[in-house]
Amino acid sequence: MDKTAENIKSKFLELGVDIPIEDIVDRLDKLVTKFKVPLDEARRSVITYFLKENDLDRNAFFGGQSTTPDSRSTPDVKLNGIDEGGKWVNIKAKVLQLWDSSHESVSQVGIIGDETATIKFIKWARDMIPDVEEGKSYYFKNVVSNEWNGRFEVTLNKNTVVEELDEDIEVISSPIGGAGDGQPAPMVNVADIAEDGKWLSIKVKVSQLWDNSHESISQVGLVGDSTGTIKFIKWTSADLLDLTEGNSYLFNNVVAQEWNDKFELTLNKNSSIEELDEDIEIASSSIIFAGAMVDVQSGSGLIKRCPECKRALTKGACMEHGKVDGTYDLRIKAVLDDGNTAQESILKRDLAEQVSGITLDDAISMAADALDQGVVLDQMKLKLLGKYFIVTGSKVDRYILVDSIELQDGLDMEMLDELITEAEVL
């Protein structure tokens, strides 16, 4: 996101307007984090906002490039001819791969190719364009080229027309390098993952399995090796081996995808999983956060999990295994506030028991007596809200996955002085 903000600032500077980088980052962050707008869409929205604020013409910013297509002038190009962002083009290409997407705003995403090159494409859900199929060839009219981190992609939008072709578009040989072209994907470490759409193989240990409410996703969580950690998504359609927290695996032919400046691994129908006897060491990437606990969120307290996949149940049902006789568990989804940042944090059973003083057996008894599991959440709020804690753990997306938590009996006076000084400055 910082690179996007810098690029926007640089463009406006060329027009003689110096916009504070903090203002650009703030608007981008609100759109992406709070409203879940895709980064590419957020970028366009921020540019439009500052153009209006400074009474600038869009053509001045985009160098005369039109923001809507002209059917008379949109050129037919080969994929290797896409060398500039923000251009309207027509292309004939074959769909080589379709990737599963966990983002509701994206209808389809994958790789298309012709005899000259391959390129990533994105089709937005809001634009109601017919779905394309793997292995078929199409004429894509009025698509827009975009550049991201030095790589080009094309986006299908409300002006795009997609026509299926009878011909089979010839595709450049060995276009992708991995499962997509029948070749084994290269073995890498987590720290080596730096390219969107890259097929790879990797040895990792499962650090965390997260709750998941998407039927299309079988498992989601955090894996790592000695060089770092990374989010993974295993699609239900892939029909792969279920992973166990704490075990080590070889992932063959998985895809690295970049979203909001972060990489994640997706396991699909071309992937395979092998359990390893070795214990992969995971690099330490802990952060420390201190603040007052201002909320214990819904989904905390006494919950039930599926005995098969360990997902939290919703109304007695597991997204994967349906109605099951769940096993009880405790967790806390807390919000800590240091005066500047409200940080969401997740505590597993052992830490939830430690910090609340309520054991799992206590919680089960409380719920049975009250005929309501919600009584446990209420008691946790009474015990914890307003108290000051220091937590240590891994930062993943918006959460800290807490490894340790410590109650502070009193506020550090030096820290209080710093907060007062900051407030006076503001």
Side-chain angles (χ1 to χ4, degrees), residues 22-274:
E22 297 83 5
D23 293 352
I24 300 173
V25 170
D26 183 58
R27 294 195 73 83
L28 281 172
D29 183 63
K30 284 180 180 176
L31 288 167
V32 172
T33 305
K34 184 175 181 179
F35 298 105
K36 309 302 180 186
V37 176
L39 185 58
D40 191 48
E41 292 290 294
R43 173 182 175 273
R44 283 194 281 272
S45 176
V46 169
I47 290 170
T48 299
Y49 173 82
F50 285 113
L51 285 172
K52 290 180 179 178
E53 281 286 294
N54 294 277
D55 198 25
L56 293 171
D57 184 79
R58 288 182 66 84
N59 286 338
F61 186 91
F62 292 102
Q65 296 168 358
S66 174
T67 57
T68 57
D70 182 346
S71 59
R72 298 168 299 176
S73 60
T74 305
D76 286 5
V77 301
K78 298 295 185 183
L79 293 183
N80 68 349
I82 297 175
D83 56 5
E84 184 180 357
K87 297 289 288 185
W88 290 90
V89 295
N90 303 325
I91 52 178
K92 290 183 178 181
K94 184 175 184 176
V95 179
L96 303 178
Q97 295 172 14
L98 291 175
W99 304 335
D100 293 302
S101 172
S102 59
H103 307 285
E104 294 181 359
S105 59
V106 176
S107 169
Q108 287 187 300
V109 59
I111 295 287
I112 57 175
D114 64 12
E115 66 272 22
T116 68
T118 60
I119 196 170
K120 177 182 175 181
F121 82 93
I122 298 174
K123 180 164 71 71
W124 302 111
R126 67 179 183 216
D127 294 324
M128 303 299 290
I129 300 170
D131 283 346
V132 296
E133 296 181 31
E134 240 176 48
K136 291 189 176 182
S137 299
Y138 297 88
Y139 186 22
F140 298 97
K141 297 181 181 179
N142 296 327
V143 300
V144 180
S145 63
N146 288 311
E147 185 177 7
W148 180 248
N149 286 348
R151 292 170 62 86
F152 291 101
E153 60 187 33
V154 293
T155 57
L156 284 61
N157 54 77
K158 63 182 180 182
N159 297 297
T160 301
V161 177
V162 179
E163 298 177 1
E164 187 176 344
L165 300 174
D166 291 331
E167 63 181 300
D168 184 26
I169 298 293
E170 182 182 350
V171 177
I172 186 173
S173 59
S174 301
I176 300 163
D181 60 7
Q183 301 299 316
M187 187 72 68
V188 303
N189 295 318
V190 169
D192 299 327
I193 298 171
E195 186 176 346
D196 186 30
K198 189 74 173 179
W199 287 87
L200 56 92
S201 297
I202 190 168
K203 290 183 177 181
V204 289
K205 183 177 183 177
V206 180
S207 172
Q208 299 272 352
L209 291 175
W210 305 336
D211 293 333
N212 160 50
S213 59
H214 297 280
E215 293 184 3
S216 60
I217 296 176
S218 169
Q219 288 183 299
V220 60
L222 190 71
V223 295
D225 62 15
S226 60
T227 69
T229 56
I230 191 169
K231 176 183 175 181
F232 81 91
I233 298 173
K234 180 163 68 73
W235 299 105
T236 304
S237 59
D239 195 24
L240 296 171
L241 171 75
D242 271 347
L243 306 175
T244 301
E245 212 169 85
N247 288 3
S248 299
Y249 300 89
L250 168 61
F251 292 169
N252 285 305
N253 293 326
V254 300
V255 180
Q257 289 188 269
E258 187 177 12
W259 189 259
N260 290 348
D261 291 336
K262 292 183 180 179
F263 285 96
E264 59 190 33
L265 300 176
T266 59
L267 286 70
N268 54 65
K269 64 184 179 182
N270 294 303
S271 307
S272 64
I273 299 173
E274 299 175 27

